[in-house]
Amino acid sequence: MIYAYARVSAKDQNLQRQIAAFSEFGIEKSRIFSEKKSGKDFERKEYKRLLQKLKGGDLLVIKSIDRLGRNYSQIIEEWNRITNIIGADILVLDMPLLDTRTKSDTLVGKFISDIVLQVLSFVAENERENNKARQAEGIKIAREKGVRFGRPSFLYTDEFLTVADDYLCKRIKLRTALKLLNIKQDNFYYHIRKLRNAPE
């Protein structure tokens, strides 16, 4: 049996390009599992439904490796689970070398796929480390130039404290407090909580 899995991260992104590629490959719509969900882990409803269907000898088709997930160490674990524990094959349409089906005329199959996957994992992990290093270097340079990070400090003026006290003592309504201070409701509540938790 041939199944396919399509995923995008955001609700405003479109799944149609992946689904069209699966249809062109000849996969029935009923065997295409798709969802709009982050690839940070494998806690996904449709992906779990797919795994319940997948059996030894089946083929799982995905458009590209990052549609399976974005964490390459987790992808390798999941790849091993599908190919070695479940006993199904995987084909990545955008990278034909990632095809675990054993070919009678070559020695490609699982061995080459595993090597390619490991190389991809190394490249992705290396890129993540480089990004972290570049980010840390950028923050260091910015700090040396006097750039401040985090939420800007909020000065509690006499006016703010008076309005906050009036609001807490129910002498004025929330709408009046927000208008007097020209502040948003979430921000006002944040500072009210901060004042309540401040040490005496």
Side-chain angles (χ1 to χ4, degrees):
M1 204 75 75
I2 302 177
Y3 297 97
Y5 178 70
R7 183 189 67 80
V8 289
S9 298
K11 289 183 178 179
D12 59 349
Q13 290 179 317
N14 201 320
L15 288 158
Q16 285 310 307
R17 192 170 63 89
Q18 294 175 63
I19 292 171
F22 299 146
S23 297
E24 191 176 327
F25 191 79
I27 304 170
E28 296 177 17
K29 278 190 176 180
S30 61
R31 294 195 186 120
I32 297 174
F33 294 79
S34 62
E35 58 192 334
K36 297 186 176 185
K37 192 80 174 173
S38 167
K40 65 179 181 180
D41 56 40
F42 286 91
E43 293 300 312
R44 307 177 220 138
K45 184 180 176 183
E46 288 302 305
Y47 182 76
K48 286 183 174 180
R49 281 188 61 229
L50 164 67
L51 286 187
Q52 288 174 350
K53 296 273 187 185
L54 211 55
K55 293 180 176 60
D58 290 342
L59 173 65
L60 170 60
V61 180
I62 53 176
K63 183 78 169 65
S64 59
I65 193 66
D66 62 342
R67 296 306 88 203
L68 197 57
R70 72 175 190 219
N71 182 316
Y72 271 75
S73 60
Q74 289 183 4
I75 288 174
I76 288 173
E77 284 180 25
E78 206 62 18
W79 186 280
N80 287 332
R81 174 152 75 125
I82 292 169
T83 58
N84 296 324
I85 298 173
I86 296 175
D89 283 304
I90 303 176
L91 167 63
V92 180
L93 293 177
D94 286 354
M95 189 168 287
L97 275 176
L98 287 175
D99 180 357
T100 64
R101 294 174 297 179
T102 304
K103 297 176 174 63
S104 57
D105 56 338
T106 70
L107 293 175
V108 182
K110 287 184 174 58
F111 178 69
I112 295 297
S113 294
D114 287 347
I115 290 176
V116 172
L117 194 62
Q118 292 288 342
V119 170
L120 283 175
S121 174
F122 171 78
V123 170
E125 191 64 36
N126 198 46
E127 183 59 24
R128 271 197 296 272
E129 291 304 317
N130 287 339
N131 284 340
K132 284 181 186 175
R134 284 194 292 268
Q135 186 180 38
E137 188 179 343
I139 290 171
K140 183 183 176 186
I141 292 169
R143 280 198 172 125
E144 287 170 357
K145 289 182 177 178
V147 176
R148 294 185 177 273
F149 296 89
R151 183 190 284 271
S153 58
F154 187 90
L155 180 64
Y156 294 114
T157 61
D158 288 339
E159 181 191 14
F160 181 89
L161 294 172
T162 300
V163 172
D165 185 57
D166 286 344
Y167 168 74
L168 290 170
C169 294
K170 299 186 177 178
R171 290 191 287 268
I172 60 174
K173 292 185 177 180
L174 174 64
R175 187 185 302 172
T176 305
L178 298 179
K179 191 172 181 182
L180 286 169
L181 296 171
N182 191 25
I183 194 173
K184 290 184 179 179
Q185 182 176 318
D186 289 348
N187 204 10
F188 180 66
Y189 281 149
Y190 167 80
H191 290 293
I192 288 292
R193 284 194 300 272
K194 196 171 177 183
L195 286 171
R196 277 177 168 167
N197 295 329
E200 295 293 336

